[in-house]
Amino acid sequence: MYLSRLSLCVIFVLLCSLESRANLNDDAPLTKLGSKTGPSLKFFYCYSCGYRKVFEDYVNILRQKYPELQIDGENYNPPGANMMLAKGLGIAKILVIVLIFSKINIFQWIGQPQPFWWQWCMDNRLYSCVMLFFACNAAEGYLISSGAFEIHFNDVPIWSKLETGRIPQPPELFQIIDTHMQMIFPEMEAGKIGLNK
């Protein structure tokens, strides 16, 4: 009986980890707004900070002024061990929830007495799982929250919220883009290359 529950739990955890790996590519999909070749602008933003909406607003503004500019955006993954810790916490959360719902006493398997808190989790399965789910989600969000809003023009960093502490105002961004466009196309004048000034 315990062996069948354990095997179901292991299968469930494996499926969840495979799904999370598949979702790594889908977490923050690239948003391509132009298929033309030419200068490109790439945004790296903190999805968990709510900067996706800011990115979409900037895309709409930039598309009006620079229709030939290829604009991409993706989630900025935090450096270091934070991402690995967040992934490990997510897998551990699912595993513990499955163990609680299947009433498996893991302490019995390792030959230890069952602690009071595990018995409480077994007696209050739904409440403990909901509490565990939200607490772990809050911890995961804190670990992956970077506060980033980085902008690269042709793979050259032109703005970093991590360094400046703020998001650029549209006129500032227009001026930066215009300066870089003048460096790429020094003969560019208003209306030449098709870029709206």
Side-chain angles (χ1 to χ4, degrees):
M1 178 76 174
Y2 285 117
L3 189 56
S4 65
R5 283 185 182 173
L6 178 63
S7 62
L8 285 174
C9 291
V10 169
I11 291 171
F12 181 74
V13 169
L14 288 175
L15 289 175
C16 290
S17 66
L18 289 175
E19 179 186 349
S20 68
R21 283 188 182 176
N23 286 338
L24 286 178
N25 296 332
D26 297 339
D27 266 349
L30 289 177
T31 307
K32 285 211 169 191
L33 298 174
S35 58
K36 300 176 183 174
T37 59
S40 66
L41 197 64
K42 189 156 191 169
F43 288 79
F44 297 94
Y45 54 86
C46 177
Y47 187 82
S48 63
C49 299
Y51 289 150
R52 182 174 178 95
K53 175 71 173 122
V54 177
F55 162 70
E56 291 170 353
D57 291 343
Y58 271 76
V59 167
N60 291 333
I61 293 169
L62 291 168
R63 292 271 326 243
Q64 292 174 5
K65 185 162 173 76
Y66 307 101
E68 285 82 12
L69 194 62
Q70 180 180 343
I71 305 171
D72 296 327
E74 66 182 50
N75 186 41
Y76 179 86
N77 291 328
N82 284 1
M83 198 65 170
M84 295 300 293
L85 284 172
K87 289 177 185 176
L89 185 61
I91 291 171
K93 168 186 68 178
I94 292 170
L95 179 63
V96 171
I97 287 174
V98 167
L99 289 173
I100 290 172
F101 263 110
S102 60
K103 292 186 178 182
I104 296 175
N105 185 0
I106 57 172
F107 296 97
Q108 182 181 19
W109 292 344
I110 59 175
Q112 297 293 321
Q114 180 173 326
F116 167 75
W117 58 269
W118 187 257
Q119 183 59 46
W120 181 86
C121 288
M122 293 293 176
D123 294 341
N124 303 296
R125 287 184 297 167
L126 183 61
Y127 181 69
S128 62
C129 288
V130 168
M131 192 170 69
L132 177 69
F133 180 79
F134 285 116
C136 287
N137 279 355
E140 288 174 59
Y142 176 76
L143 285 171
I144 64 170
S145 178
S146 62
F149 196 81
E150 314 300 294
I151 306 172
H152 292 200
F153 184 86
N154 285 347
D155 297 326
V156 175
I158 60 171
W159 189 272
S160 172
K161 181 183 176 289
L162 296 176
E163 292 176 9
T164 62
R166 65 184 183 88
I167 294 174
Q169 295 296 318
E172 288 177 300
L173 188 56
F174 294 159
Q175 184 178 11
I176 293 169
I177 292 172
D178 288 343
T179 302
H180 279 79
M181 293 290 252
Q182 286 291 334
M183 289 169 50
I184 294 172
F185 307 109
E187 71 282 349
M188 183 177 78
E189 295 174 12
K192 230 175 171 177
I193 312 179
L195 295 172
N196 299 329
K197 291 294 272 180

